């Protein structure tokens, strides 16, 4: 019974996280300015990292943890690099 | 201490990271982790960071507890705003706060605390005037925010770092 | 291999509650990304997901694997620490960049640069995304 509940709540949690990723993607597409897109990317990467963790729970494999760790690291490095790029005066439209 | 372990806290964190990643506390892994910690700490000296002077370490725990409670509370507040449960017209805006702190580590900690709390955002620090600009999502009273930042966080950080 | 069948009920319930809470908090934060009006308001929202959302989902994973493998599995702490430490730093850098661009743009438009005026808007920063 409770095992069935866990299966369903895993599904619900994955759907919610998928919607959260959708919000981030929509913000990347909508803009309107470059910093909004970078913010959307940052949110998207964090949400994708959390989704990977739930996939790890679903399959019971610890491998997804490493993928989530790498995702978190790349998200941070990517956002910091993009923000640093925005700091240069040349990209002001 | 200074020659072998220039950054004891970071070296300890590196050792903990190594042991957690390998999920094993065996003699060999502890030895390897110590090697990573020592080399990692030595590599950081290349950056020539200013020395850390942590004075009242006991206050760190109290500050940490306060920050965690603030994060949980403002999580609820921001969640309510996003879902549209606000009963009145919300106003967001910038607040300028005069700071007494000059220690780079203290300022970095303050920036981290302010940004990690949903609802407040570190925008800019003018080092010449010592004026910090933050952005507040739900701005009711500017004076209250200035008091909050200065009394709750800056006072403790000043005690820790200066 | 799926190990959900071998889980005792209390662990299953605890994992489910942590998972749902974390996912809901994260979704609320990301929803704020769409619903709030200006860039500076939007930056507040994702910290919701990165603080409480990460903590809850990593805790769910920790409970699940610890009970399943009957030994403490603690390496999710790394995810929590990494998420909580890095995101505010990235956001601070991003907001600093956005502030710099706004100031530069305002200077280009011929208005006096310097102090940030509350509610001063640059042309591209009009409220958008109210649809949510």
């Amino acid at each position: 019974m409770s095992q069935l509940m866990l299966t369903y709540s895993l599904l619900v949690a994955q759907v919610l996280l998928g919607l959260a990723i959708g919000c981030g993607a929509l913000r990347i597409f909508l803009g309107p300015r470059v910093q909004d897109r970078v913010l959307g990317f940052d949110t998207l990467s964090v949400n994708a990292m959390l989704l990977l963790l739930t996939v790890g729970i679903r399959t019971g494999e610890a491998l997804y943890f490493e993928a989530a760790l790498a995702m978190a690291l790349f998200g941070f490095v990517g956002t910091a690099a993009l923000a640093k790029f925005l700091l240069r005066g040349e990209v002001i439209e | 201490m200074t020659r072998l372990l220039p950054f004891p806290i970071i070296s300890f964190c590196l050792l903990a990271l190594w042991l957690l990643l390998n999920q094993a506390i065996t003699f060999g892994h502890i030895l390897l982790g110590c090697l990573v910690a020592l080399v990692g700490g030595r590599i950081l000296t290349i950056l020539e960071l200013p020395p850390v002077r942590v004075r009242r370490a006991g206050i760190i725990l109290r500050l940490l507890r306060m920050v965690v409670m603030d994060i949980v509370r403002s999580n609820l507040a921001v969640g309510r705003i996003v879902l549209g449960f606000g009963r009145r017209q919300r106003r967001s805006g910038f607040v300028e706060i005069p700071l007494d702190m000059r220690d780079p580590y203290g300022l970095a900690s303050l920036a981290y605390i302010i940004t990690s709390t949903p609802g407040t955002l570190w925008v800019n620090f003018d080092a010449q005037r010592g004026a910090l600009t933050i952005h507040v999502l739900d701005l009711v009273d500017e004076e209250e925010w200035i008091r909050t930042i200065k009394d709750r966080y800056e006072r403790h950080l000043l005690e820790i770092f200066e | 291999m799926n190990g959900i069948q071998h889980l005792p009920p209390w662990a299953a319930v605890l994992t489910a509650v942590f998972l749902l809470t974390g996912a809901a908090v994260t979704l609320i934060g990301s929803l704020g990304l769409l619903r709030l009006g200006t860039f500076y308001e939007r930056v507040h929202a994702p910290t919701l997901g990165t603080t409480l959302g990460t903590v809850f989902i990593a805790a769910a994973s920790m409970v699940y694997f610890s009970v399943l493998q009957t030994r403490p599995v603690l390496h999710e702490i790394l995810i929590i620490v990494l998420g909580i430490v890095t995101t505010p730093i990235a956001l601070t850098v991003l907001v600093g960049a956005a502030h710099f661009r706004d100031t530069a743009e305002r200077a280009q438009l011929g208005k006096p640069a310097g102090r940030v005026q509350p509610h001063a808007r640059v042309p591209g920063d009009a409220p958008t995304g109210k649809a949510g």
Side-chain angles (χ1 to χ4, degrees), chain A residues 3-87:
Chain A
Q3 282 82 1
L4 201 66
M5 197 190 94
L6 178 57
T7 312
Y8 279 121
S9 50
L10 249 177
L11 195 69
V12 172
Q14 283 185 332
V15 169
L16 291 184
L17 285 175
L19 284 176
I21 290 181
C23 290
L26 209 59
R27 188 39 79 195
I28 294 180
F29 282 121
L30 287 177
R33 309 190 72 208
V34 190
Q35 49 261 47
D36 287 297
R37 296 177 209 271
V38 178
L39 182 65
F41 166 75
D42 187 55
T43 314
L44 195 148
S45 68
V46 171
N47 293 343
M49 188 263 285
L50 295 179
L51 189 63
L52 274 177
L53 277 182
T54 60
V55 171
I57 294 181
R58 170 176 287 272
T59 56
E61 276 188 50
L63 196 68
Y64 286 96
F65 163 79
E66 332 247 300
L69 204 62
M71 189 89 206
L73 271 179
F74 281 128
F76 168 62
V77 172
T79 310
L82 283 170
K84 210 70 197 161
F85 176 68
L86 293 187
L87 266 178

